[in-house]
Amino acid sequence: MTMMTGAQYEESLRKMNFKVYLMGEEVKNPVDHPMIRPSVNSVKMTYDLAHDPQYQQLMTAVSHLTGETVNRFCHLHQNTEDLVKKVKMQRLLGQKTASCFQRCVGMDAINAVDSVTFEMDQKLGTEYHERFTRFLRKMQQEDWTVDGAMTDPKGDRSKAPHQQDDPDLFVRVVEKRDDGIVVRGAKCHQTGALNSHWVLVMPTIAMGPEDADYAVSFVAPADAEGIIYIYGRQSCDTRKMEPGADIDLGNSQFGGQEVLMVFDDLFIPWENVLMCGETEFSGMLVERFAGYHRQSYGGCKSGVGDVLIGAAALAAEYNGADKASHIKDKLIEMVHLNETLYACGIACSAEGHRTASGTYLIDLLLANVCKQNVTRFPYEIARLAEDIAGGMMVTQPSQQDFEHPVAGKFVAKYFRGTDKAPAESRMRIMRLIENLTLGTAAVGYRTESMHGAGSPQAQRVMIARQGNIEGKKKLAKAIAHIQE
Amino acid sequence: MTMMTGAQYEESLRKMNFKVYLMGEEVKNPVDHPMIRPSVNSVKMTYDLAHDPQYQQLMTAVSHLTGETVNRFCHLHQNTEDLVKKVKMQRLLGQKTASCFQRCVGMDAINAVDSVTFEMDQKLGTEYHERFTRFLRKMQQEDWTVDGAMTDPKGDRSKAPHQQDDPDLFVRVVEKRDDGIVVRGAKCHQTGALNSHWVLVMPTIAMGPEDADYAVSFVAPADAEGIIYIYGRQSCDTRKMEPGADIDLGNSQFGGQEVLMVFDDLFIPWENVLMCGETEFSGMLVERFAGYHRQSYGGCKSGVGDVLIGAAALAAEYNGADKASHIKDKLIEMVHLNETLYACGIACSAEGHRTASGTYLIDLLLANVCKQNVTRFPYEIARLAEDIAGGMMVTQPSQQDFEHPVAGKFVAKYFRGTDKAPAESRMRIMRLIENLTLGTAAVGYRTESMHGAGSPQAQRVMIARQGNIEGKKKLAKAIAHIQE
Amino acid sequence: MTMMTGAQYEESLRKMNFKVYLMGEEVKNPVDHPMIRPSVNSVKMTYDLAHDPQYQQLMTAVSHLTGETVNRFCHLHQNTEDLVKKVKMQRLLGQKTASCFQRCVGMDAINAVDSVTFEMDQKLGTEYHERFTRFLRKMQQEDWTVDGAMTDPKGDRSKAPHQQDDPDLFVRVVEKRDDGIVVRGAKCHQTGALNSHWVLVMPTIAMGPEDADYAVSFVAPADAEGIIYIYGRQSCDTRKMEPGADIDLGNSQFGGQEVLMVFDDLFIPWENVLMCGETEFSGMLVERFAGYHRQSYGGCKSGVGDVLIGAAALAAEYNGADKASHIKDKLIEMVHLNETLYACGIACSAEGHRTASGTYLIDLLLANVCKQNVTRFPYEIARLAEDIAGGMMVTQPSQQDFEHPVAGKFVAKYFRGTDKAPAESRMRIMRLIENLTLGTAAVGYRTESMHGAGSPQAQRVMIARQGNIEGKKKLAKAIAHIQE
Amino acid sequence: MTMMTGAQYEESLRKMNFKVYLMGEEVKNPVDHPMIRPSVNSVKMTYDLAHDPQYQQLMTAVSHLTGETVNRFCHLHQNTEDLVKKVKMQRLLGQKTASCFQRCVGMDAINAVDSVTFEMDQKLGTEYHERFTRFLRKMQQEDWTVDGAMTDPKGDRSKAPHQQDDPDLFVRVVEKRDDGIVVRGAKCHQTGALNSHWVLVMPTIAMGPEDADYAVSFVAPADAEGIIYIYGRQSCDTRKMEPGADIDLGNSQFGGQEVLMVFDDLFIPWENVLMCGETEFSGMLVERFAGYHRQSYGGCKSGVGDVLIGAAALAAEYNGADKASHIKDKLIEMVHLNETLYACGIACSAEGHRTASGTYLIDLLLANVCKQNVTRFPYEIARLAEDIAGGMMVTQPSQQDFEHPVAGKFVAKYFRGTDKAPAESRMRIMRLIENLTLGTAAVGYRTESMHGAGSPQAQRVMIARQGNIEGKKKLAKAIAHIQE
């Protein structure tokens, strides 16, 4: 097997043995839990589309290791074309799921770890890259979804890892044994972790020598003993538990997922350890992973944006307002902002370059610029969608009222729009807009846009570092004829 | 009795006989329904604070009809000081409830109806103002909460009321009888209707002669036979139904409420009719009510904004990030935007003027400018709050997990912040921010800011009309020495 | 005499004996120098309008010292109505001159110095307030224009006054004598200084004990021996020197003025000294003066904005584009932003309060919010004006070409607009827009909006200080039920 | 000769016989006129850098016609790499000149005319492409600068060309003869026309059959008899005429140029006619030229932006304010916005595609998105530069005062900054910022950013057309499960 179908993926997940808590209960079969299920469907789409001839050019790639066709999510970028196709694949999946499809973190993690382990080995004589390549070969062969896990709880953000009151607030090595290491700590906000076969753990910040125990990277089966998941609440999450839930979900089929992943003294054999104490490389790994992941958002968020723009356009049409010039202008603005995000994703890809290992890296400055825009424009696109939709999006009655013998006839009568817009269509599109701006998908479209791949200030630090202000000063001095 | 206490208000509501549907079921006791209860508490606050000596100067006024002290929500503004105090009262209540407290629509409606009925009578020889004054005297005496009902379903927005496929898509008179009229139709997005004693219905747009049946205004008991309520869903509304619901609500005590209010051939005796066919006055009534209500938002939204700014500042403190210059700068920006809203509310009040009836009207241009800013700045304040809060706000586990014997210890361990920020405090503040930006209160803080008192384009039309572009052209010609 | 006419003002200026350098030459008669003249005309307007019955209510006030009618620019604000009228007077003058009319700094300075000297005397037993009141009485009687001088050169901004390499980079007392003091230093960016009869000098920052020599305030005749003026260049300033200059000026009649004012060991008798070493009061004086001056911009800049909006509307009309919905929408946006500035000016005035001396002070928080908006919105209004105007505003030929026998016919033929827009009208309005966005008036409308009365960061510091973040945290804790 | 040096270019210009009016006089030697000279220098840079080995990869290309190395400005883009290099070349030249270097319009015109004439010939059997190719071969061989002339005066913008009162308000064919055509009319805002060897004229809008006389494209020597130039005024233009002009220019060496170009019954032989009556192709030609030119701005404006950012950073350093966090943050924001422009330029290039003639076209949607951002971000970058610079930029005295024996010592004393910032350096950098935000270069950096290659609304129309709103509606319906 090289590429699973969606059905095969689903089956493979069912065989996993996760330890999960959700709403105060242990969940034995997460795949079929109604609150979790839509997030499985989103990942599943990454498998199904890879078998659709229409999309194969984007969804698949030829492995540089084996020459076999693999899902692009398991691929190392071999050139700038690969980087560009990655972004286009992400936009496509955003359009098809209107959600976070979760599989990008693993793709971004393997690409970052590849070049960094290569350069570590070159400088330090370690053997991390070989270990990693063995893992990657297996990952491609089995078509695994991998969780790239970076963000630690961090506790008091004004303190370094080793300064925290509780030493476990960053993931750390608590024991080094002959056969491997024992790690303790947790990773927060883990997108899609429960839908993954393996997890690739990375440190979360640049570190100094005193933080050596915290400079740790490794892979582990996602259901390894010692890993505990606690499921994160999303806005409107329990609507999925309501009987007959459909209209009120907005997007009944797809969703995202975030969990707290706890390492309760997890054992990792040496062959799965990819960094252990090399603090001078932790910053580089963070920078590269974050760079790839900031590029990603130029793709996925513009895909989700496409759906939101379409929904707003439909709402206007149903309201009989689509001919109003201010409505048309707002839709243009939404498209403009959305395409600016996409343009930044494309640009940092087209301007990518080869690293020592052969894997291509995006342009770091432009990738950070891309993400910085992502922390702003989806919010404005959402605001404009809410403007166009009208208040009904947050005041319309429940699906149950719509289906009630007495109340339902009033709902049908008074929530219709133009003669082509029955109440149900209108209610569905309002709920989709609600879903993306306030509901479960707002977690992905708003908060993840803000904080995923690093909060806005993290990009600003990188822009300052990469922006070559000194070079710009020289340009200005030359023009102004200032000799110093 | 002139001013009820909160407890008396609550009792008075229990005696009402509403017909209400919610989540597919008829609700017999809305006051104590967990999904409705917080909205009752918000209105209750408007009664309780009127008895608090600290706030009486803002919360009460002396009736120009009786000379008695009345709740300011039942008062007609007698001077610009009243207009300014109104805004300050609203900011106070926004601070105390972090919600829409719902009682403003009635206050804004009585002030608008007073001057318009006065001017109608002057011009047409009708007797609407006398009827209205009788109602107002009773309203002040009984300290009623009144729902000001304006927004019709509208169907196809490109069509006038009489052009709609279904003639009931705007409220209309279906029968005129000797003793009164029969009305049919509905009002949407009715804020606080179920928490009201009476409803004051107004037309929703300027109308031409063909729309005469739609130019209708009246008062009715909120539980009159023929009025049916269908409760609107809010984001995260059912969290209030969860056992032990507290932390996950963010704001467990207060909330807002919107309903669809259906007039199923409701009979109104003539003494309660305040407009019936006078289409030439419908536009004026809309303009004045909307003007007052656009002023209101300069008060209430800045009050809610205060809470959100405080919550963001606490989140930063708990995260150990409050010393970072970018965090301090974001808080300053939030304050700046919030105070700009307030300044516009104050300005349109201080620049108010007397109408023919003696009631003071705000400056219409500045009130529209105020509301236009309200359609923008709360969104940016919310975005900045989400930036400061961090991703935990949408990924933290449920209260049930926090209280679970196994999962709970991990939650407590890994979600703590600085040494002064236990996980529970942090979770509470994250949930409050979620509540205001994505949850039940986002309906008030975001969508109502956008669409309440008219959507953004409605203000732009008014700004165009009031902005005196022709006068400005003359100024420019004088400076440029253009004679024509 | 209590109120001069414009003509009398002009004559009074001619009698002054200024020492001025401009473009490398000493100017003997600044009043009639073509580059300076328009700035005289702007100040003159403050005298002429005070005699126009239509504007007297705004332009004049009754002196609290003498009961006589005085020009409002010489008045101490006795109530919030005075504060509001001040803003309205400024808007009026902005509309009439489309320029900085320069007389506000003196008005703002006397109001600040009044309450601060009063409180200094109360606390320290000094007699500054009595001296000041004597000066004020004379100023009102003679109807002087007074330059309020605050901004020092500052040298290295990271250093305090006493730390600078050159001790003169802040104005300081170099000698204390029996009969008075000798001061050295300079004040930069002095708006209208050359059009003033007297100058009122104030310190520019809060100071510590080591800066005692720099905590100095005094009044002096503007043409005192020891004061030297060096005239500042403005964009397009020399167009005023071109033969027959008219069209190309955009605003041929009015303008602003900034100078470097050097104190070359200037002697000040004690009776004119208003602060001398009381460092603990320098911060308060700066804060109050800046507060008043930040209020001012809510008036004058919205007045200038009115002219720019009118000019843009005319440009659209001449271009035949005034019916386009995007043009109408841009004009609405310009009005909206401009009125927001005005609203903030009104609000900080209406919320003013009495100080110990009886003079009314604006609300400091809202005045800083007002100015902060002034650092943004005029730029956006200008951008929109440039959008509406079209490129002709920067590519049209000179007036001389328009008047040239050969070239002129082509200019007239090809620069006409609609059939009601001859080339000359169009060129005039384009030049007016150029003047306000790029030319001499852009100095007032853009740069002064940014830096006058303190740069943006100065307002942010004040907003942080006045914004009561701690109080807001308490509100949030109450809602979230956090006990600590 | 294939590539001229700058000196050769300058000599070649001197041999031209232009008919030019400037400030009311005919100019016989435009190359050496002080107001024109800096614009010659900017174009000259495009010749000189092509001989600099460091930049040859960007500045030159291999002709697909001859296989010879040509200046990239004479090249047709053969692949997306060419499109990307074009943008990088433009950024480089923006950095080196801090001005509009004017040669892009010709490059963009030949690329557009190539594919459009090819497709015209294919469809209509005409022979325009062959004529064009002959011209192009000569242009490459002689290394000509070509003015691409599109914008007509337009008169009343609400009317089509044939509806104008004066039929000459769009360029038109007034006579068709056996040997050629006679054209009358004018082109406005012609960037660099006087620095060109030839002019390539194109129609300015999509046209209908009644506008056939206006659908005309041709090439002509720039100094042909019948072409008259009237030079456009820029803000601060005459500073270049001041004796010893240096500091006050900000950028003493480089500048831009715009003229009104009049065709006073100009004769064009048939071999130089490239469109004559084919109205159905005028829209396509405009769209493609505008598309290329909108791409261009992603390059040149980000290059100029680099200089402005550098200047602002220097101003902060000289002021001793470069360590302030708000200054650092503003510089980051400037870089962020500037790189977003560049990213859009790169993206529309990387996403380009081949046209029928073999020439590559940019992605039209992304090119319009690029330009739309250019109408906004340079204004904000300029605003931030003005914020950082401080008021001195518009109030500092003239160079003559700085050099004056008396005034100069005060200027030197009081305008110094930190101990490393003598007054002259500081004044120079302030003047450079003034030049870019208010002065001659503001014409290029602001107004041209706004209106060059089409005003903002023109891009919005294209974004609406290219944005595939219908496709987005389908995506939304699929997610919301709406069947219709």
Side-chain angles (χ1 to χ4, degrees), chain D residues 372-388:
Chain D
Q372 184 77 184
N373 282 322
V374 171
T375 68
R376 301 173 177 182
F377 295 170
Y379 282 82
E380 180 62 5
I381 294 170
R383 195 184 73 87
L384 291 167
E386 291 174 56
D387 181 345
I388 293 172

PDB file of all heavy atoms in Angstrom, chain D residues 372-388:
ATOM      1  N   GLN D 372      -4.288  46.836  -6.354  1.00  0.00           N
ATOM      2  CA  GLN D 372      -5.235  47.356  -5.358  1.00  0.00           C
ATOM      3  C   GLN D 372      -4.536  47.601  -4.024  1.00  0.00           C
ATOM      4  O   GLN D 372      -4.771  48.603  -3.357  1.00  0.00           O
ATOM      5  CB  GLN D 372      -6.392  46.353  -5.173  1.00  0.00           C
ATOM      6  CG  GLN D 372      -7.494  46.813  -4.241  1.00  0.00           C
ATOM      7  CD  GLN D 372      -8.449  47.837  -4.842  1.00  0.00           C
ATOM      8  OE1 GLN D 372      -9.330  48.350  -4.191  1.00  0.00           O
ATOM      9  NE2 GLN D 372      -8.279  48.146  -6.103  1.00  0.00           N
ATOM     10  N   ASN D 373      -3.645  46.700  -3.659  1.00  0.00           N
ATOM     11  CA  ASN D 373      -2.876  46.931  -2.437  1.00  0.00           C
ATOM     12  C   ASN D 373      -1.941  48.133  -2.586  1.00  0.00           C
ATOM     13  O   ASN D 373      -1.700  48.861  -1.613  1.00  0.00           O
ATOM     14  CB  ASN D 373      -2.075  45.674  -2.064  1.00  0.00           C
ATOM     15  CG  ASN D 373      -2.955  44.617  -1.409  1.00  0.00           C
ATOM     16  OD1 ASN D 373      -3.853  44.937  -0.636  1.00  0.00           O
ATOM     17  ND2 ASN D 373      -2.701  43.357  -1.715  1.00  0.00           N
ATOM     18  N   VAL D 374      -1.446  48.332  -3.796  1.00  0.00           N
ATOM     19  CA  VAL D 374      -0.555  49.475  -4.041  1.00  0.00           C
ATOM     20  C   VAL D 374      -1.302  50.800  -3.870  1.00  0.00           C
ATOM     21  O   VAL D 374      -0.695  51.822  -3.552  1.00  0.00           O
ATOM     22  CB  VAL D 374       0.096  49.363  -5.440  1.00  0.00           C
ATOM     23  CG1 VAL D 374       0.847  50.638  -5.808  1.00  0.00           C
ATOM     24  CG2 VAL D 374       1.035  48.164  -5.503  1.00  0.00           C
ATOM     25  N   THR D 375      -2.615  50.780  -4.053  1.00  0.00           N
ATOM     26  CA  THR D 375      -3.378  52.026  -3.843  1.00  0.00           C
ATOM     27  C   THR D 375      -3.581  52.329  -2.361  1.00  0.00           C
ATOM     28  O   THR D 375      -4.157  53.362  -2.013  1.00  0.00           O
ATOM     29  CB  THR D 375      -4.768  51.964  -4.519  1.00  0.00           C
ATOM     30  OG1 THR D 375      -5.586  51.001  -3.859  1.00  0.00           O
ATOM     31  CG2 THR D 375      -4.654  51.603  -5.985  1.00  0.00           C
ATOM     32  N   ARG D 376      -3.149  51.436  -1.498  1.00  0.00           N
ATOM     33  CA  ARG D 376      -3.356  51.615  -0.053  1.00  0.00           C
ATOM     34  C   ARG D 376      -2.061  51.665   0.747  1.00  0.00           C
ATOM     35  O   ARG D 376      -1.854  52.538   1.579  1.00  0.00           O
ATOM     36  CB  ARG D 376      -4.186  50.436   0.493  1.00  0.00           C
ATOM     37  CG  ARG D 376      -5.535  50.301  -0.156  1.00  0.00           C
ATOM     38  CD  ARG D 376      -6.223  49.026   0.304  1.00  0.00           C
ATOM     39  NE  ARG D 376      -7.558  48.926  -0.260  1.00  0.00           N
ATOM     40  CZ  ARG D 376      -8.418  47.966  -0.017  1.00  0.00           C
ATOM     41  NH1 ARG D 376      -8.065  46.970   0.793  1.00  0.00           N
ATOM     42  NH2 ARG D 376      -9.610  47.950  -0.565  1.00  0.00           N
ATOM     43  N   PHE D 377      -1.224  50.644   0.568  1.00  0.00           N
ATOM     44  CA  PHE D 377      -0.112  50.463   1.497  1.00  0.00           C
ATOM     45  C   PHE D 377       0.951  51.563   1.415  1.00  0.00           C
ATOM     46  O   PHE D 377       1.486  51.963   2.454  1.00  0.00           O
ATOM     47  CB  PHE D 377       0.518  49.077   1.316  1.00  0.00           C
ATOM     48  CG  PHE D 377      -0.381  47.932   1.672  1.00  0.00           C
ATOM     49  CD1 PHE D 377      -0.017  46.619   1.364  1.00  0.00           C
ATOM     50  CD2 PHE D 377      -1.602  48.123   2.302  1.00  0.00           C
ATOM     51  CE1 PHE D 377      -0.832  45.549   1.687  1.00  0.00           C
ATOM     52  CE2 PHE D 377      -2.432  47.052   2.621  1.00  0.00           C
ATOM     53  CZ  PHE D 377      -2.035  45.759   2.311  1.00  0.00           C
ATOM     54  N   PRO D 378       1.314  52.045   0.210  1.00  0.00           N
ATOM     55  CA  PRO D 378       2.299  53.135   0.207  1.00  0.00           C
ATOM     56  C   PRO D 378       1.817  54.344   1.023  1.00  0.00           C
ATOM     57  O   PRO D 378       2.632  55.023   1.652  1.00  0.00           O
ATOM     58  CB  PRO D 378       2.440  53.481  -1.280  1.00  0.00           C
ATOM     59  CG  PRO D 378       2.163  52.191  -1.970  1.00  0.00           C
ATOM     60  CD  PRO D 378       1.034  51.580  -1.151  1.00  0.00           C
ATOM     61  N   TYR D 379       0.525  54.580   1.036  1.00  0.00           N
ATOM     62  CA  TYR D 379      -0.003  55.685   1.842  1.00  0.00           C
ATOM     63  C   TYR D 379       0.219  55.432   3.325  1.00  0.00           C
ATOM     64  O   TYR D 379       0.548  56.341   4.086  1.00  0.00           O
ATOM     65  CB  TYR D 379      -1.492  55.893   1.546  1.00  0.00           C
ATOM     66  CG  TYR D 379      -1.741  56.624   0.258  1.00  0.00           C
ATOM     67  CD1 TYR D 379      -1.717  55.966  -0.959  1.00  0.00           C
ATOM     68  CD2 TYR D 379      -1.954  58.005   0.251  1.00  0.00           C
ATOM     69  CE1 TYR D 379      -1.928  56.639  -2.157  1.00  0.00           C
ATOM     70  CE2 TYR D 379      -2.169  58.684  -0.940  1.00  0.00           C
ATOM     71  CZ  TYR D 379      -2.155  58.005  -2.139  1.00  0.00           C
ATOM     72  OH  TYR D 379      -2.348  58.682  -3.306  1.00  0.00           O
ATOM     73  N   GLU D 380       0.030  54.203   3.733  1.00  0.00           N
ATOM     74  CA  GLU D 380       0.236  53.892   5.143  1.00  0.00           C
ATOM     75  C   GLU D 380       1.724  53.868   5.475  1.00  0.00           C
ATOM     76  O   GLU D 380       2.133  54.320   6.551  1.00  0.00           O
ATOM     77  CB  GLU D 380      -0.421  52.543   5.485  1.00  0.00           C
ATOM     78  CG  GLU D 380      -0.286  52.108   6.930  1.00  0.00           C
ATOM     79  CD  GLU D 380      -0.944  53.037   7.953  1.00  0.00           C
ATOM     80  OE1 GLU D 380      -1.615  54.004   7.565  1.00  0.00           O
ATOM     81  OE2 GLU D 380      -0.746  52.790   9.160  1.00  0.00           O
ATOM     82  N   ILE D 381       2.536  53.371   4.553  1.00  0.00           N
ATOM     83  CA  ILE D 381       3.986  53.403   4.775  1.00  0.00           C
ATOM     84  C   ILE D 381       4.446  54.858   4.904  1.00  0.00           C
ATOM     85  O   ILE D 381       5.244  55.200   5.782  1.00  0.00           O
ATOM     86  CB  ILE D 381       4.724  52.674   3.625  1.00  0.00           C
ATOM     87  CG1 ILE D 381       4.386  51.175   3.643  1.00  0.00           C
ATOM     88  CG2 ILE D 381       6.233  52.881   3.729  1.00  0.00           C
ATOM     89  CD1 ILE D 381       4.866  50.406   2.416  1.00  0.00           C
ATOM     90  N   ALA D 382       3.910  55.714   4.040  1.00  0.00           N
ATOM     91  CA  ALA D 382       4.268  57.136   4.098  1.00  0.00           C
ATOM     92  C   ALA D 382       3.820  57.750   5.421  1.00  0.00           C
ATOM     93  O   ALA D 382       4.556  58.508   6.054  1.00  0.00           O
ATOM     94  CB  ALA D 382       3.631  57.876   2.924  1.00  0.00           C
ATOM     95  N   ARG D 383       2.618  57.401   5.847  1.00  0.00           N
ATOM     96  CA  ARG D 383       2.117  57.934   7.113  1.00  0.00           C
ATOM     97  C   ARG D 383       3.029  57.519   8.273  1.00  0.00           C
ATOM     98  O   ARG D 383       3.352  58.330   9.157  1.00  0.00           O
ATOM     99  CB  ARG D 383       0.688  57.434   7.376  1.00  0.00           C
ATOM    100  CG  ARG D 383      -0.060  58.197   8.479  1.00  0.00           C
ATOM    101  CD  ARG D 383      -1.420  57.586   8.755  1.00  0.00           C
ATOM    102  NE  ARG D 383      -1.307  56.338   9.471  1.00  0.00           N
ATOM    103  CZ  ARG D 383      -1.239  56.226  10.803  1.00  0.00           C
ATOM    104  NH1 ARG D 383      -1.324  57.294  11.568  1.00  0.00           N
ATOM    105  NH2 ARG D 383      -1.117  55.046  11.365  1.00  0.00           N
ATOM    106  N   LEU D 384       3.437  56.287   8.267  1.00  0.00           N
ATOM    107  CA  LEU D 384       4.316  55.814   9.336  1.00  0.00           C
ATOM    108  C   LEU D 384       5.682  56.495   9.262  1.00  0.00           C
ATOM    109  O   LEU D 384       6.287  56.809  10.293  1.00  0.00           O
ATOM    110  CB  LEU D 384       4.457  54.293   9.270  1.00  0.00           C
ATOM    111  CG  LEU D 384       3.173  53.537   9.646  1.00  0.00           C
ATOM    112  CD1 LEU D 384       3.275  52.059   9.251  1.00  0.00           C
ATOM    113  CD2 LEU D 384       2.880  53.651  11.142  1.00  0.00           C
ATOM    114  N   ALA D 385       6.168  56.730   8.055  1.00  0.00           N
ATOM    115  CA  ALA D 385       7.446  57.439   7.912  1.00  0.00           C
ATOM    116  C   ALA D 385       7.322  58.850   8.472  1.00  0.00           C
ATOM    117  O   ALA D 385       8.228  59.340   9.163  1.00  0.00           O
ATOM    118  CB  ALA D 385       7.864  57.481   6.447  1.00  0.00           C
ATOM    119  N   GLU D 386       6.212  59.495   8.210  1.00  0.00           N
ATOM    120  CA  GLU D 386       6.010  60.840   8.727  1.00  0.00           C
ATOM    121  C   GLU D 386       5.889  60.818  10.253  1.00  0.00           C
ATOM    122  O   GLU D 386       6.317  61.743  10.941  1.00  0.00           O
ATOM    123  CB  GLU D 386       4.737  61.442   8.113  1.00  0.00           C
ATOM    124  CG  GLU D 386       4.864  61.740   6.631  1.00  0.00           C
ATOM    125  CD  GLU D 386       3.552  62.197   6.003  1.00  0.00           C
ATOM    126  OE1 GLU D 386       2.972  63.187   6.483  1.00  0.00           O
ATOM    127  OE2 GLU D 386       3.116  61.560   5.035  1.00  0.00           O
ATOM    128  N   ASP D 387       5.294  59.751  10.761  1.00  0.00           N
ATOM    129  CA  ASP D 387       5.198  59.588  12.212  1.00  0.00           C
ATOM    130  C   ASP D 387       6.598  59.488  12.822  1.00  0.00           C
ATOM    131  O   ASP D 387       6.945  60.211  13.769  1.00  0.00           O
ATOM    132  CB  ASP D 387       4.374  58.320  12.497  1.00  0.00           C
ATOM    133  CG  ASP D 387       4.169  58.039  13.977  1.00  0.00           C
ATOM    134  OD1 ASP D 387       4.868  58.624  14.819  1.00  0.00           O
ATOM    135  OD2 ASP D 387       3.308  57.206  14.301  1.00  0.00           O
ATOM    136  N   ILE D 388       7.421  58.629  12.254  1.00  0.00           N
ATOM    137  CA  ILE D 388       8.768  58.409  12.798  1.00  0.00           C
ATOM    138  C   ILE D 388       9.643  59.645  12.636  1.00  0.00           C
ATOM    139  O   ILE D 388      10.431  59.990  13.525  1.00  0.00           O
ATOM    140  CB  ILE D 388       9.416  57.184  12.115  1.00  0.00           C
ATOM    141  CG1 ILE D 388       8.662  55.899  12.513  1.00  0.00           C
ATOM    142  CG2 ILE D 388      10.889  57.075  12.464  1.00  0.00           C
ATOM    143  CD1 ILE D 388       9.093  54.658  11.763  1.00  0.00           C
TER     144      ILE D 388
END
